Amino acid sequence: EAGVAQSPRYKIIEKRQSVAFWCNPISGHATLYWYQQILGQGPKLLIQFQNNGVVDDSQLPKDRFSAERLKGVDSTLKIQPAKLEDSAVYLCASSPSGAYNEQFFGPGTRLTVL
Amino acid sequence: GQQLNQSPQSMFIQEGEDVSMNCTSSSIFNTWLWYKQDPGEGPVLLIALYKAGELTSNGRLTAQFGITRKDSFLNISASIPSDVGIYFCAGLTDSWGKFQFGAGTQVVVTP
């Protein structure tokens, strides 16, 4: 069974530029999560989707971050414009509907903002 | 907001030694999870706990769900070099699967 796929793996941009990350969850997983992991910290949930609907985006900085999961499968997370403090690893995870303990994480995208 | 305090922050141990780490919170959780994260990878689930007082093992790993539901412990017995990594606890805060993660315990195993 293929795992959670993310791309790109690494991205370096300058502040005020835009960036987008892509995630393809495990086939059949209805729930998709985007986390931000700053160096030395645990993952922090940014947004959670159930199919193509948003369940929780209370910690998403909506003035600069946006995410979509239009067809209820893959998802994109965008930052526009980026700030220095956005440097982090962005992790995508997915789980079967209702089985929230079975969260499978992708390898993450490491973003560096200069 | 809710805070998960994970300790110790890091551990340097010799191969063969046992390792203990814990997570505490001011809030009650319904589920505790323990993950391991290797460099450049996403976290991988090790153990899930669902009931207060529950003790669960996975090979050399043993985790317990505290009776007060505000803490959890992870033990690694007879550590080996591949145990190196960062271990995270995570507590489930609501029925929609929103987990809160601790800051992690970095484990370094020396031969």
Side-chain angles (χ1 to χ4, degrees):
Chain A
E1 179 183 79
V4 177
Q6 290 188 247
S7 68
R9 291 296 310 274
Y10 305 92
K11 190 73 177 178
I12 301 174
I13 61 173
E14 295 189 346
K15 60 183 179 183
R16 292 188 289 274
Q17 286 187 325
S18 301
V19 65
F21 312 127
W22 175 81
C23 172
N24 192 24
I26 292 173
S27 177
H29 281 192
T31 310
L32 185 148
Y33 313 78
W34 282 103
Y35 289 88
Q36 180 192 57
Q37 185 176 24
I38 292 172
L39 185 65
Q41 299 182 17
K44 183 184 83 171
L45 181 68
L46 293 176
I47 189 168
Q48 177 181 347
F49 291 96
Q50 179 75 14
N51 295 308
N52 61 348
V54 175
V55 173
D56 188 321
D57 64 357
S58 58
Q59 299 193 93
L60 186 74
K62 298 180 185 63
D63 57 333
R64 298 184 301 106
F65 286 63
S66 64
E68 60 183 15
R69 193 184 184 200
L70 293 176
K71 297 182 180 178
V73 181
D74 56 349
S75 175
T76 56
L77 176 69
K78 297 180 182 178
I79 308 175
Q80 180 179 13
K83 293 185 176 181
L84 296 177
E85 59 262 35
D86 298 332
S87 294
V89 175
Y90 291 84
L91 294 163
C92 179
S94 69
S95 68
S97 181
Y100 304 116
N101 59 300
E102 298 178 22
Q103 283 192 36
F104 294 88
F105 284 82
T109 296
R110 180 175 295 278
L111 173 67
T112 301
V113 182
L114 303 176
Chain B
Q2 295 167 329
Q3 292 251 339
L4 269 186
N5 299 307
Q6 189 170 349
S7 65
Q9 190 173 8
S10 60
M11 308 182 69
F12 293 81
I13 58 172
Q14 284 197 322
E15 186 175 352
E17 288 184 348
D18 297 344
V19 176
S20 292
M21 61 193 81
N22 69 80
C23 262
T24 60
S25 171
S26 58
S27 302
I28 290 174
F29 289 110
N30 296 320
T31 299
W32 283 96
L33 305 180
W34 284 93
Y35 285 87
K36 178 176 183 270
Q37 186 173 27
D38 292 328
E41 300 295 332
V44 174
L45 182 65
L46 299 174
I47 291 180
L49 301 161
Y50 303 105
K51 294 180 183 179
E54 179 181 354
L55 186 71
T56 298
S57 294
N58 178 6
R60 293 177 297 103
L61 307 176
T62 301
Q64 184 161 22
F65 194 140
I67 293 175
T68 64
R69 294 166 60 192
K70 294 182 178 180
D71 56 6
S72 181
F73 305 87
L74 176 70
N75 296 315
I76 307 173
S77 63
S79 59
I80 59 177
S82 61
D83 291 333
V84 167
I86 303 177
Y87 292 79
F88 291 99
C89 62
L92 181 61
T93 61
D94 60 39
S95 59
W96 282 104
K98 181 179 176 180
F99 283 95
Q100 185 170 359
F101 283 77
T105 293
Q106 183 169 16
V107 173
V108 177
V109 181
T110 58

